[in-house]
Amino acid sequence: MAEDSVITDEMRAAIGVESEPSEYEIEKEAIRRWAEAIGDTNPLYRDEEYAKSKGYRSIIAPPGFIANYAYPTKVGEGGRRGFRSPFAMVLNGGNEYDFLKPIQAGDKITSTTKLAELREREGRLGKMLFMINETTYKNQDGEIVAKSRGTIISY
Amino acid sequence: MADQVYWEDVDVGTEVTPLQKQPTTQQLVRWAGGSGDFYQIHYDKDFALGNQLPGVIVHGALKSAWLGQLLGDWVGEKGKIKTYGCSYRGMDVPGDTLTCKGTVTKKYEEGGEHLVDCDIWLENSKGEKTTPGTATLVLPSKG
C-alpha cells in the first residue's frame, strides 16, 4: 500500500540520475591480486609475456573485475545514491555483466552509474527495498567495454 | 588448462566443467582487499552475529567471480563470455565446499557468432543452489 511505502519522493527523484564519472587506471598488480584472491591461475591474468603472445597489450582483467574495481563512488555527498536507505541491513542481491571489449592493464576506465529502479516487497524479514543500479564502463578511446547491473537489498 | 571446447562439440544439456572452491576466512579477507569490499559481515564474526547472520558469510561478488572463472575456464582462450549474471539467494559460509556448475540450455548462431546460453549456479555441500544465474557464451567453431 502506498501509505506504507518506504520509497520517498526524494528517492524516486534519484532514479535515472547519472553519476559524475569516476576514473580508474587498470593496474597489473590489482588484476594479479584479484586473480590471486579468487584462486584463478589463468596466465592471461598474471603473465604479461603470455598475454602478449595471445595478441593483448598486457595482462587482461578477469570477468567481473571491472565491476568490483571501478565501481563509481562519486555520486553526491553522503553516499553515492544521494539518499540513505531507511534500513540498516544491506545485502548484495545479484550482479549481471555484459562484456563488450577486453579490459587490459594500462587502460583508463571511466565509469558512470545510475539508479535504474526501486522496488519494495514484504519478505521473510519484513519490508525489503531493492535498489537496482546500472553502470557503464568506457575505456580511454571512449569505447564501452562493459556494463553491469547490480541489485542491492536493504531491510 | 583444459582442452579447447568447440561449438560443434556441445549440445543442449552439455555440462560445463565444474569448478570446486573451499573458501577460508583468509580467502574472504584477501577478496575484501582485492575487491575493496570491506563490509564487516564478511570478516568480523561479532559484527556478523550482531546482524542476525550465522557468522561471517562469503561475499556475493566473490561467488560471482568464481562463476566467471567457471565460464572463463570453459570457453577457453578462443571463446568469450558475452554476458553472465547471478542472484545471491542463499548465504554461503567459509569452511563449506562450494561447487560452480552449469549446463547448456540453448545453442544458436547470431550475428556471425556461435553462441550458447547456459544455466549456471553455485551449490553448497548439501546440493542447494545458493547462487543461480545465466550466461551467454561465444564458442569457437571448427568452421
Side-chain angles (χ1 to χ4, degrees):
Chain A
M1 276 185 292
E3 60 265 34
D4 291 336
S5 178
V6 297
I7 301 175
T8 62
D9 289 344
E10 185 199 11
M11 288 158 70
R12 237 183 296 274
I15 296 172
V17 178
E18 201 78 34
S19 71
E20 291 293 316
S22 297
E23 289 176 14
Y24 299 85
E25 186 163 345
I26 303 299
E27 294 162 349
K28 272 185 272 191
E29 287 313 316
I31 292 177
R32 290 192 183 118
R33 214 166 14 245
W34 203 90
E36 198 71 45
I38 68 171
D40 193 331
T41 56
N42 190 328
L44 286 174
Y45 314 143
R46 294 164 179 253
D47 183 338
E48 188 162 38
E49 290 312 310
Y50 183 82
K52 282 180 176 169
S53 78
K54 298 292 171 181
Y56 296 106
R57 200 182 59 231
S58 181
I59 58 172
I60 61 169
F65 172 85
I66 189 73
N68 290 284
Y69 183 68
Y71 197 80
T73 51
K74 293 181 185 168
V75 184
E77 288 176 29
R80 60 191 157 74
R81 277 177 214 97
F83 64 84
R84 295 196 77 82
S85 164
F87 304 113
M89 268 306 284
V90 177
L91 287 177
N92 189 346
N95 292 108
E96 289 166 44
Y97 313 110
D98 290 336
F99 303 109
L100 301 159
K101 298 250 173 198
I103 296 158
Q104 310 181 54
D107 278 350
K108 290 194 172 61
I109 300 294
T110 303
S111 62
T112 53
T113 194
K114 65 177 182 212
L115 178 66
E117 203 182 327
L118 282 174
R119 277 187 283 128
E120 60 190 321
R121 70 172 165 87
E122 289 296 327
R124 272 176 301 138
L125 305 161
K127 200 176 266 290
M128 305 175 95
L129 177 67
F130 293 74
M131 294 173 279
I132 293 131
N133 298 295
E134 287 178 354
T135 306
T136 303
Y137 308 87
K138 287 184 181 170
N139 66 14
Q140 60 282 0
D141 301 320
E143 300 169 318
I144 297 178
V145 291
K147 292 182 186 180
S148 69
R149 191 175 159 88
T151 303
I152 299 289
I153 305 171
S154 74
Y155 59 93
Chain B
M1 290 187 101
D3 291 339
Q4 177 67 54
V5 64
Y6 286 88
W7 189 75
E8 286 78 6
D9 299 332
V10 308
D11 269 308
V12 171
T14 298
E15 194 183 308
V16 176
T17 310
L19 173 72
Q20 203 173 77
K21 294 287 175 178
Q22 288 175 308
T24 59
T25 49
Q26 185 187 58
Q27 186 167 23
L28 302 194
V29 171
R30 293 180 80 157
W31 170 260
S35 71
D37 179 349
F38 294 107
Y39 193 20
Q40 298 95 318
I41 59 171
H42 304 298
Y43 56 85
D44 182 336
K45 190 177 174 184
D46 292 338
F47 183 92
L49 292 173
N51 280 284
Q52 290 80 49
L53 294 170
V56 297
I57 60 170
V58 179
H59 301 73
L62 175 54
K63 298 195 277 182
S64 160
W66 285 330
L67 289 170
Q69 184 184 356
L70 168 86
L71 297 171
D73 284 352
W74 195 61
V75 301
E77 290 177 354
K78 292 180 177 164
K80 202 173 77 177
I81 305 170
K82 213 171 163 68
T83 70
Y84 84 99
C86 59
S87 301
Y88 311 118
R89 299 271 172 80
M91 292 173 193
D92 286 293
V93 295
D96 199 7
T97 297
L98 308 176
T99 310
C100 298
K101 295 184 176 180
T103 55
V104 174
T105 56
K106 189 180 170 191
K107 178 180 172 181
Y108 55 109
E109 290 178 67
E110 199 178 274
E113 290 181 314
H114 293 78
L115 301 165
V116 292
D117 289 345
C118 296
D119 280 338
I120 55 172
W121 66 92
L122 179 143
E123 64 183 42
N124 63 20
S125 58
K126 293 180 195 152
E128 296 161 338
K129 295 181 183 181
T130 62
T131 314
T134 56
T136 299
L137 311 171
V138 182
L139 293 178
S141 167
K142 289 173 179 170

